[in-house]
């Protein structure tokens, strides 16, 4: 398990004692099939809901442990709708973010009404108010979704131009010698991060979880830990090889001890430690902002998916490369029907 997953598991266990026993049982029920990150997000989402209930005076008590099962069993539809309005109006969450919080509550209530057991072998209660709550829908067609993604990714040769910018032109944007020294120290590592993202389409969590043994540079293969700790083997583009080899030559500069097998390192306390997702996100944001195309690791992933479609790879191939659970997710990256219509409409003027 990567350091980041260990940190998330630690945070999860730190927070659980604040909660009633039935929340701990809910997490325990899912622990085998869900990652620590997913379980921690469940806890965060439940806490947002519990905080709102306590703030609104729907239940008495100073803390989460004071929220009885009977309160959840008797929760009314109008109260849940008020909570969703709170997410929308006061917290200003977009539909996708609201949907995630509602989905977490749906999973929580499903456990309480279908999988829990009291001393008599019965579920804690059977009335599930969350069954009456639809997930917030994003009113967006496949064409609109694909177009929105297209505006926020790299196109054509932009991926290679970005690597060239980081390697040769970024230095001209630096304001001080201190910034230059930091750039020079980490340049090979940062280039390798971008190259591997653009050559494989892996997630940021998958990238930071990589150990040295997970990269086969000879056959250009990665052994990645997918969601749910599922192990997978995927190819990456040869264009990443010179950047990965250059970083490997410089990796000893981070002074990792013999036990540190993480591929991507950062300096912490004078020695090399595994990078976190947050630190990689900051690296990506820093360089792409200077490139006048502020991106996230997820947008780099979108870039790879779109290029794979343009190269004629099948939806199944793309699904397997990106680790999607369904072809439907893959179809959101592009909309061939829209592209075909645009071409036909243009031909009408020729």
């Amino acid at each position: 398990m990567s350091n980041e997953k260990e940190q998330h598991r630690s945070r999860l266990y730190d927070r659980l004692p604040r909660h009633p026993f039935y929340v701990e049982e809910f997490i325990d029920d899912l622990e085998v099939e869900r990652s620590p990150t997913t379980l921690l997000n469940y806890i965060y989402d439940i806490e947002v809901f519990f905080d709102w209930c306590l703030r609104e005076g729907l239940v008495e008590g100073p803390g989460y442990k004071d929220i009885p099962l009977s309160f959840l069993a008797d929760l009314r539809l109008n109260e849940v709708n008020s909570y969703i309005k709170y997410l929308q109006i006061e917290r200003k969450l977009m539909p996708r973010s609201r949907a995630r919080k509602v989905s977490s509550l749906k999973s929580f209530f499903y456990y309480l009404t279908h999988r829990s057991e009291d001393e008599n072998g019965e579920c804690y209660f059977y009335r599930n108010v969350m069954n009456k709550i639809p997930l917030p829908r994003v009113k967006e067609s496949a064409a609109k979704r694909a177009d929105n993604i297209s505006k926020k990714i790299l196109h054509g040769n932009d991926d290679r131009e970005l690597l060239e910018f980081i390697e040769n032109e970024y230095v001209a944007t630096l304001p001080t010698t201190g910034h230059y020294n930091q750039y020079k120290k980490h340049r090979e590592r940062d280039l390798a991060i971008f190259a591997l993202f653009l050559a494989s389409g892996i997630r940021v969590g998958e990238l930071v979880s990589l150990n040295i043994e997970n990269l086969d540079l000879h056959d250009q293969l990665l052994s990645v830990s997918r969601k749910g700790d599922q192990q997978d083997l995927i190819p990456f583009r040869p264009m990443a090889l010179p950047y990965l080899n250059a970083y490997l030559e410089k990796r000893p500069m981070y002074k990792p001890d013999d036990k540190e097998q993480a591929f991507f390192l950062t300096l912490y306390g004078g020695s090399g430690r595994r990078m976190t997702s947050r630190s990689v996100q900051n690296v990506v944001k820093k360089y792409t902002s200077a490139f006048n195309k502020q991106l996230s690791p997820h947008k780099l992933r979108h870039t790879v998916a779109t290029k794979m479609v343009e190269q004629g790879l099948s939806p199944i191939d793309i699904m397997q490369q990106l680790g999607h659970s369904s072809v439907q997710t893959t179809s959101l990256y592009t909309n061939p029907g829209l592209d075909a219509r645009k071409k036909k409409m243009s031909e009408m003027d020729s």
Side-chain angles (χ1 to χ4, degrees), residues 195 199 216-218 220 236-247:
D216 182 343
L217 300 185
H218 181 268
Q220 294 142 47
F236 62 89
R237 294 165 58 192
M239 56 82 79
L241 285 174
Y243 300 103
L244 295 172
N245 282 317
Y247 166 63

Side-chain angles (χ1 to χ4, degrees), residues 257-294:
D257 61 33
D258 293 338
K259 295 181 180 179
E260 183 55 83
Q261 294 301 306
F263 186 75
F264 288 109
L265 299 173
T266 188
L267 282 169
Y268 183 82
S271 62
R273 301 286 181 86
R274 187 184 299 271
M275 295 185 75
T276 65
S277 292
R278 177 64 66 186
S279 61
V280 171
Q281 288 165 350
N282 289 338
V283 166
V284 172
K285 180 179 179 180
K286 175 178 70 175
Y287 288 108
T288 59
S289 295
F291 190 62
N292 292 323
K293 186 93 175 179
Q294 183 171 312

